[in-house]
Amino acid sequence: MPRTTKKIARPLVTGNWKMYKTGEEACQFLETLAPLLEESQVDVSLAVPYTAISLAAQKVAELNASIAIGAQNMNDASEGAFTGEVAARMLKSAGATFVILGHSERRHIFHETSDFINKKVKKALQEGLQPILCIGETGEERENGETEEILKTQLHESLQDLSKEEMKQIILAYEPVWAIGTGEVATPEMAEEAHLLCRELVASGWGKRVAKALLIQYGGSVKPENAADLLVQENINGLLVGGASLQPETFYEILQQYEGITV
Ligand code: PEP
């Protein structure tokens, strides 16, 4: 029996490859995945390593596939003496159409602040790259009952000063840090509660219309076995998938989970 949900948009499932795959490996992946997506009911995008963006974008065009290629980070400056950094316009010219910003691995391993992430969000928007902004609490913060406060602070600081028009370009990803790469997925109820909170926060800052249209992805140990229970939730509009996006067959199995859900 198909499950029913009142979804506002086609879901968007994004693979975050982190520091995995060369350009050639990205192309092999795309050759396997692309033909499977012809009838897809789900929008698909892949955040690949910088060095794979150009080849992956060319491969997508060659295969005439409907897969957006993006980056996993960028610097907030237009250009300059920042050894090892990458600017938005470089990503754009390589073929990226979106960029993940504020991923918990950037916040926690590379100590990026919400203030810095806010500058990057603004820069990405200026350059025409769609940001996927990640926010999420650590396990300790959840245990201490601080989830709501953390999400509120990260959301407001990372999106500070954005206009309603700019907010329409934003994709939000709720990624509880304790669920990323751990195999410990949030229960659908937990995830739905956090997504609803995020939508309410956006409604109070930018209005109900912006909040209703906002696409909010869940990320954290998504697998084919748990994807359907998450996607059926009213406020979950997509998934951000790390480890399980590295094999085309597994990633495709996740995409297929939406098929049993009636909009
Ligand atoms: C991620 O990297 O955004 C992520 C959610 O990773 P994983 O699916 O491996 O937990």
Side-chain angles (χ1 to χ4, degrees):
M1 162 100 97
R3 291 187 272 186
T4 308
T5 182
K6 291 178 263 131
K7 293 289 182 183
I8 50 167
R10 266 163 75 89
L12 170 66
V13 180
T14 304
N16 173 19
W17 283 357
K18 312 195 187 201
M19 202 172 72
Y20 294 97
K21 294 193 193 296
T22 63
E24 290 73 20
E25 288 162 349
C27 290
Q28 284 163 12
F29 178 107
L30 288 165
E31 274 168 12
T32 308
L33 183 70
L36 302 173
L37 294 185
E38 274 163 23
E39 308 267 294
S40 179
Q41 295 170 29
V42 177
D43 289 333
V44 179
S45 62
L46 293 170
V48 306
Y50 296 137
T51 48
I53 291 174
S54 203
L55 276 177
Q58 284 169 33
K59 182 54 80 178
V60 164
E62 182 190 312
L63 295 166
N64 200 17
S66 185
I67 302 171
I69 299 297
Q72 303 164 18
N73 183 34
M74 53 170 257
N75 192 271
D76 67 314
S78 298
E79 59 184 2
F82 302 110
T83 303
E85 289 295 281
V86 175
R89 57 185 285 272
M90 297 169 185
L91 299 177
K92 194 95 198 286
S93 101
T97 58
F98 75 95
V99 59
I100 296 177
L101 295 173
H103 189 280
S104 76
E105 285 152 17
R106 301 296 321 171
R107 290 180 188 265
H108 295 280
I109 305 173
F110 298 98
H111 309 291
E112 290 190 6
T113 62
S114 288
D115 189 41
F116 184 36
I117 293 158
N118 179 243
K119 292 193 174 89
K120 298 190 201 203
V121 168
K122 288 175 182 163
K123 189 55 161 183
L125 289 169
Q126 246 176 42
E127 299 289 347
L129 279 177
Q130 183 168 39
I132 297 184
L133 172 71
C134 302
I135 59 172
E137 80 288 356
T138 63
E140 195 183 341
E141 287 160 349
R142 178 163 280 271
E143 274 166 31
N144 294 341
E146 293 165 355
T147 301
E148 195 171 327
E149 200 46 45
I150 293 292
L151 294 182
K152 192 173 171 183
T153 307
Q154 286 185 359
L155 188 143
H156 283 146
E157 289 179 356
S158 307
L159 298 174
Q160 199 175 310
D161 299 330
L162 259 61
S163 67
K164 282 189 185 183
E165 278 314 302
E166 287 173 322
M167 274 303 288
K168 289 183 192 162
Q169 301 301 313
I170 298 288
I171 293 169
L172 195 65
Y174 167 62
E175 295 214 304
V177 181
W178 49 271
I180 298 179
T182 59
E184 197 188 339
V185 64
T187 65
E189 295 74 25
M190 246 182 216
E192 170 62 14
E193 191 184 18
H195 281 230
L196 178 61
L197 170 70
C198 291
R199 210 178 288 288
E200 285 169 357
L201 290 170
V202 170
S204 66
W206 292 271
K208 280 193 187 147
R209 206 173 283 190
V210 172
K212 192 166 177 239
L214 180 73
L215 202 151
I216 312 179
Q217 297 178 315
Y218 167 82
S221 295
V222 172
K223 308 231 162 355
E225 303 76 52
N226 56 34
D229 286 341
L230 291 160
L231 281 170
V232 80
Q233 301 300 317
E234 187 166 351
N235 285 286
I236 299 184
N237 313 113
L239 303 168
L240 184 50
V241 187
S245 70
L246 292 170
Q247 297 302 327
E249 297 79 9
T250 316
F251 189 53
Y252 179 60
E253 240 189 285
I254 291 175
L255 304 175
Q256 277 183 307
Q257 299 310 309
Y258 190 65
E259 281 175 17
I261 300 172
T262 312
V263 183

